[in-house]
Structures are given as C-alpha cells and as structure tokens.
Amino acid sequence: TMLGVVTTDALVESDVWRKMVKVAVNRSFNQITVDGDTSTNDTVIALASGLSGSPAISSLNCPEALQLQACLDSVMQGLAKSIAWDGEGATCLIEVTVTGTETEAEAAKIARSVASSSLVKAAVYGRDPNWGRIAAAAGYAGVSFEMDSLRISLGDILLMECGQPLPFDRLGASKYLKKAGEVHGTVEIDIRVGGGLGRGKAWGCDLSYDYVKINAEYTT
Amino acid sequence: MATTVEDTSSTIPAAPISLPEGPWKQIPGGVTAAKGFKASGMYAGLRVSGKKPDLALITCDVDATAAGAFTTNVVAAAPVVYCKKMLEMSKTVRAVLINAGQANAATGDAGYQDVLDSVVTLARLLKLKPEEVLIESTGVIGQRIKKGALLQALPTLVNMLSDSVNGGDAAAVAITTTDLVSKSVAIESQVGGTPIRVGGIAKGSGMIHPNMA
C-alpha cells in the first residue's frame, strides 16, 4: 500500500485543485510499481490552506496554475520515486523513460509496462543487460509502434537501434547494473519508439530473493 | 505510551529524495512546511510488533481546499470508502488521521464503524465536524484496527501537534509499514510572484502498483 498526504499554502479553487492533483498523481504515484499488486488502501490526500497570500488560482490555464502544477508534479514525483527506491527487497531504483509516442499517456503506458516486468526486474537484479526482455515488455504494453523504430539504451550504453540489436560491451553494461545495486542507486532504461512528441516515465525496482522472503513472512 | 516528537523521527532513516529540475528549491520538512499545517506521530501500540510509531495526524488551521486520489481496487478499504464519500460532500478538510498496522480492508460493516468511531472521537477533540476529518490506514488486509488503543492515544496525538520539521518527520515515520526509510519532502517556489510551499509525506514498499483515480 502507498499512502500520501501533500500540503501547500497556495490559494487555489476546489475544482481546479482536484484536476491538478489528478494530473500530478498520474505523472507520479500512478507510474510506480514494485510488485504489480494494486492495494485496497492506496490513497493520496492533497490540502491547500491558501495562507501564502498568493494570487487565487481559478483556472487551469493561467501561468500561476502552471507554476503550481509543476511544483505539485515535482513533490509527488520525489515521493513516488522514493517509494519505488524502497521497494521490498530492492537493491536499486529503475527509471524507465519512453519517448517518441503520439501522446504522454502512451509513453507512460509503455514505461510502466517495462518497469512492471518481472523478467526485466529479475534481469536487473541478476545484473544482466537483457535488452530482449525490455523490448518484449515494451511490445506487450498495448501501444502500437513500428518495430524498426525501437531504440533501447541502458544508462549511456546503446543496446538496440532501429529495431536491430547492436554489439555492445556486455561486461561494461553488467558492471553498470552491478554498481547501481552496490550504492542503491538508479538504473536508467531509455526507450524510443518513434518520432512523436509523447514522453513519459515510470519507476520500479529490481526483483530480489528478499521480496519473496519478506512477503512470505509478512502474513495475515 | 506517547513517544516524544524528537524520538520518533529517529526510528528509521529518511529516504534520499531526488526531485526533477525546476524553478524551486528543496527546503527542510514535509507536510508542515506550508503555512497553516501541523503534524504529529506517536507509538500507540497498533503495530503487531516493534515500537515504531504507528499513528499520525496532520491538521490545517483553516478550511483547506481538499482533493483525493483513491485506489480503483474494487475491494476498497473502509477508510477509502469513507474519504471518497466525504470529498463528494465537502470541498474542504481540516485534518487527516493515519494509522499503520492494520489496513481495515475487507473488514465489512464493523470496519466501517471503526472508521466512524475514530473520526467522531478525533473531531470532538479538535472541535471540528466529523466530515472535516479524513482517515487513511495501512497494514495487514482483513484485520480491523485496534480501536481501543487508537482512541486512547488520540488526546496525546493532538497535544503533540507541531508545525515544526520534527512534527512532519514524526508523521512520516508513523505511517510506514515494511518501509526501510521514511519519505518526506518540501519545496519553495513562486506563484504569481508570491513565495509558496508544497510539501508531502508518503509511505510504501510492498503491494505497490497504484491505479488511483
């Protein structure tokens, strides 16, 4: 279960605030995954006191609303990433960035599909730069794209371009994964699926033996 | 029973927070950074094991404009059902109570009554209307909250409320379950040329694939 409480002293009208929060949740908490299990209790409550004396925001399209939306996205993404970073049994955070789709929602869907893949998560734990699993998880996300547009990189190591697997420094790629695990750092997976302007991110973590151990013990 | 605010935030370390670049700066604190908010966290004896704080409260000095996002899992917990109802009826909220240890999910009518009893008792202590108080729960699914211990701890929890960084940190620790770190962050930026603050706390480590709406 994830719970969140977000507060601000900006002055914002109720309907606008509710729309802003929904957008920010979709760009943050709804883009994380640890085990693919959606809880019965997931909740985010967002409260605005209005005590800062800032100008009242009564429309989504004014500059002030865009400023507040950016702040809200940032705080929620910071918190959401820390949840994925602290996933049960995790040794590293996995950040998946997808570009080249027609819409933000399509990119977000592919990114979350890859971040949710048990095979991708297990490969990261095994320090295996398994680009095939990444491609497969992107392929079953339910978003259509041209196979020969597919480009995949792990950190700054290019694994696939124009849908063709590339020769790459396998040992170096494995070391990249190993180092991230040693410092509980971040593994970055970048995927490009076409020429569109859509881009989205998702965050997850690697799948370790400890995940099973923790959940076999955390019983009813 | 109560643990001082200073003790609670020392029970688990804070998560490293990485924020996207933007026209803001990270400032200390979390939910108490923005004007008008107070928080507290304490050990109320709700957890199955250990003495980590397990009860948190966040309040606003004024009617806060409120929004919520909730699980789309059909087996929604009693606090989720309650909060959705309240936010359909009201645009503002004054307090959020959060308990860790039992999820109060799949607990039927008795679980929903536990929510009502907790909210009514807290509202009375805060001199608010019950519908101005929301509640979040996390922990083992199928188990009701330890209502006796929770209600008994509320006066102490209210007395510990603080607008300090420690108050927010104490709440961040008290909402955790299998988390190894607490999650809290705050930023300062400008809206229309006026400084504003946005802050928050979160928890989560397992059963994580949110689809909130």
Side-chain angles (χ1 to χ4, degrees), chain A residues 5 13 30-31 36 41 48 66 76 88 105 116 119 136 141 156 162 165-166 183-184 196 217:
Chain A
V5 180
E13 197 269 329
N30 275 354
Q31 284 301 110
N41 289 62
L66 297 176
M76 287 199 187
E88 284 168 352
S116 310
L119 285 173
D156 54 16
C162 302
L166 299 174
V183 299
H184 207 132
E217 288 170 0

Side-chain angles (χ1 to χ4, degrees), chain A residues 135-219:
Chain A
Y140 63 62
V143 176
S144 66
F145 57 84
E146 293 303 319
M147 176 61 200
D148 55 16
S149 307
L150 185 56
R151 182 182 194 278
I152 296 173
S153 58
L154 189 62
D156 54 16
I157 303 165
L158 194 54
L159 308 178
M160 195 172 211
E161 174 106 73
C162 302
Q164 305 296 324
L166 299 174
F168 64 92
D169 172 6
R170 183 172 287 276
L171 196 58
S174 184
K175 272 188 187 153
Y176 167 76
L177 295 172
K178 191 161 179 289
K179 182 159 182 333
E182 284 163 357
V183 299
H184 207 132
T186 301
V187 167
E188 292 181 354
I189 296 174
D190 287 297
I191 302 167
R192 182 162 189 79
V193 297
L197 297 178
R199 64 175 297 118
K201 285 180 183 280
W203 298 274
C205 58
D206 55 344
L207 175 59
S208 71
Y209 305 115
D210 277 358
Y211 176 82
V212 176
K213 183 168 171 288
I214 290 166
N215 283 287
E217 288 170 0
Y218 188 69
T219 63

